[in-house]
Amino acid sequence: RCVQETEPGWFNLNYDITHNVIGGSVLFGYHVPGADCNQVNGFVNNTAHTNRYGFYFLVNRTGCLHLSYLTAYKNYDGVLSYDQNYQTRGEYMKITDNKYGVTLGQAQEASSGSLILNSLIAGLSLINNCPECYQDPKECEKVVGMRLPISTDQAPKTFPLSKPTSNVNYYGRSDISRNTFKDFNPGKLNCKYVIAIQTNEDAADGHPMSIFHKNKVVNTPLQNLVYFNPPNPSWINMRDCGDWQCTGLTNVIMKDMDGTLLDKPGTILSVNKGVVDERCKLIVSNNIYICDTQDYSQLFFDSLDNDRATRIFSPVFITSEKFTNKLNSFMDHTWHGEYTLSLIHI
């Protein structure tokens, strides 16, 4: 027995788990607590392949998870950690040929964010030596290296475990540094969707700011480097976003601090015409703007009124001389029989 529940909701890793290979699981390859950030990692040199979730890491007692020296390939979700932790650090990971390579998240109000460091994130790893390995379109119909990390009040309790089911908080940020994004280039292959970095498509309320620096891009053209998902049209209903769209996915900010992603320092923004100026260029195929500036940031505000859970307070317009941003409240994540609660977070 390698995992022991010492208190409800808290897990400790009793024994080292090293040098294992798990494949073919219909659900989890590894379903274990992440190692403590301040201790020697007892979970290293493990491999997961062809599982629904290769690695799914639970919160540990400290709330700071350290995921390192692991390999995930040909899983649906390669590495996923999204529990009641305040910080997640993933480093020295090898993640290749997964439907979704790595998805990190936190579920604490005082989150300090996610770090992805010193890792290899590859798409079609055999593209140079074995292009015939991808002749079957099913082998590459969807390949995503990483989702931008998210931070919410609570962790998901239902599948899919990457889908936010509570309000986003913006107290942390995501730092992605010294990684290599490689071989997200299908060339002439019949691959429908090969992307190194994308947003979390289910994050209706948005993402913390993501900061990239000292990364390396190999054999990955711009059209396959970054994609920001648009809001899902099905969210427009009175149980979710109301009678118009949630605006989290139209207010995502990703900064390239040193130009190692975009060839020069800049900012990637969601398609939101009111917030961009002449320094920004629309890239239609990627659903993004690329801006020659790092001036953009995020504003987060919240209603403290007693009726904040029963009164809709939107739209809100943020305006200046050449700036207009129309914002909706967060998605309604609470279902109470015959009615829902619409919290006023923006």
Side-chain angles (χ1 to χ4, degrees), residues 299-337:
L299 172 69
F300 173 70
F301 54 95
D302 190 2
S303 171
L304 301 179
D305 293 340
N306 293 331
D307 60 352
R308 64 197 292 268
T310 58
R311 179 167 60 96
I312 295 177
F313 191 72
S314 65
V316 172
F317 289 87
I318 307 298
T319 63
S320 64
E321 183 178 355
K322 295 183 179 180
F323 182 99
T324 300
N325 198 359
K326 180 182 177 182
L327 302 174
N328 198 353
S329 300
F330 280 1
M331 176 181 278
D332 185 352
H333 297 288
T334 307
W335 174 243
H336 283 251

Side-chain angles (χ1 to χ4, degrees), residues 110-122:
S111 168
S112 60
S114 296
L115 295 88
I116 300 177
L117 311 169
N118 303 307
S119 295
L120 169 66
I121 301 175

Side-chain angles (χ1 to χ4, degrees), residues 170 203-207 231 245-252 270 328-330:
Y170 289 87
D205 303 329
H207 302 67
Q245 190 56 268
C246 289
T247 49
L249 283 174
T250 59
N251 287 276
V252 181
S270 308
N328 198 353
S329 300
F330 280 1

